[in-house]
Amino acid sequence: MIDYVVTRLVVGGLDTNCYILKHRASRAAAVIDPGGDLLVIKNALFEQEASLRLILLTHGHIDHILALEDLRTPNTIVCIHKDDAHMLVERDLFTSMVPHDPRPMRPAEFQFERDGKYKVDPFEFYVIHTPGHTPGSCCFLCGDVLFTGDTLFCYSVGRTDFPTGDAKALEDAIREKLFVLPDETLVLPGHDAQTMIGKEKTGNPYF
């Protein structure tokens, strides 16, 4: 990504990948999936002299949103797909896994309702709705980098054995929306190591 510098942080009790996108020409920053360890995220922003403008949530599971409420500011826009928006203000099946579940949180400032290009100056990105892990799971495409949350991993895919999971929807979304991207597209998932679309098309055992 020519316009952005990407920093990966591993946060929370489930080792979630949280990403910071720092705009090269300004101090503006976006955070994807602040899943815990608030001070780690804030320190990384401070070290980069970054001003947080945008928080993108790939889905609403607690291990991807735990630090959200303390990280957001009056100048921050929080975005999530409409089908997962309720997860910010309701407790769910993961409550028992978190010693102190701070929800209900405030609602997101913006809910994605369609696939396509979005702009929150100076950030431009494409939203790709990929239901299956959750009904509102999304991937974010920034240039040639794809942030996949818990939809697609290195040689794996997201779990669908939760109450709202849908294995067929997940498979269809990956095949029809992600595997059509260029093979050289870098995949930055919500857990574990990075990969590439071409690598997953030929080597992911789920396909």
Side-chain angles (χ1 to χ4, degrees), residues 2-21:
I2 297 176
D3 294 333
Y4 310 107
V5 176
V6 180
T7 302
R8 170 178 171 257
L9 305 172
V10 180
V11 300
L14 296 181
D15 292 338
T16 300
N17 289 333
C18 170
Y19 299 99
I20 296 175
L21 281 69

Side-chain angles (χ1 to χ4, degrees), residues 3-4 23 30 53-54 56 77 79 110 112 114-127 140-142:
D3 294 333
Y4 310 107
H23 190 251
R53 295 283 306 278
L54 178 67
L56 299 176
I77 299 173
C79 303
F110 187 83
F112 300 117
R114 59 172 180 80
D115 287 14
K117 185 177 181 179
Y118 290 80
K119 182 174 182 179
V120 179
D121 193 51
F123 299 97
E124 293 186 2
F125 55 94
Y126 286 87
V127 173
F140 303 115
L141 181 65
C142 302

Side-chain angles (χ1 to χ4, degrees), residues 13-44:
L14 296 181
D15 292 338
T16 300
N17 289 333
C18 170
Y19 299 99
I20 296 175
L21 281 69
K22 170 73 181 304
H23 190 251
R24 291 182 185 273
S26 70
R27 297 177 59 240
V31 169
I32 299 176
D33 289 353
D37 294 331
L38 173 68
L39 292 181
V40 172
I41 301 172
K42 294 187 76 170
N43 284 341

Side-chain angles (χ1 to χ4, degrees), residues 52-168:
L52 181 59
R53 295 283 306 278
L54 178 67
I55 298 176
L56 299 176
L57 304 175
T58 61
H59 63 292
H61 281 164
I62 191 65
D63 60 316
H64 290 254
I65 67 172
L66 188 59
L68 168 63
E69 193 61 28
D70 291 323
L71 183 64
R72 70 199 303 184
T73 73
N75 297 320
T76 303
I77 299 173
V78 176
C79 303
I80 192 171
H81 192 274
K82 65 179 180 64
D83 292 340
D84 274 14
H86 66 96
M87 294 185 181
L88 301 187
V89 296
E90 299 174 2
R91 298 181 184 272
D92 60 18
L93 76 166
F94 292 100
T95 298
S96 61
M97 299 171 59
V98 181
H100 173 62
D101 185 342
R103 288 174 296 176
M105 299 178 179
R106 287 173 289 166
E109 279 75 25
F110 187 83
Q111 298 180 20
F112 300 117
E113 296 187 3
R114 59 172 180 80
D115 287 14
K117 185 177 181 179
Y118 290 80
K119 182 174 182 179
V120 179
D121 193 51
F123 299 97
E124 293 186 2
F125 55 94
Y126 286 87
V127 173
I128 305 172
H129 183 210
T130 52
H133 180 65
T134 66
S137 286
C138 284
C139 298
F140 303 115
L141 181 65
C142 302
D144 57 356
V145 178
L146 181 70
F147 300 89
T148 57
D150 286 2
T151 293
L152 179 65
F153 300 117
C154 181
Y155 293 144
S156 187
V157 298
R159 292 178 60 176
T160 57
D161 57 337
F162 300 129
T164 60
D166 187 328
K168 181 63 164 57

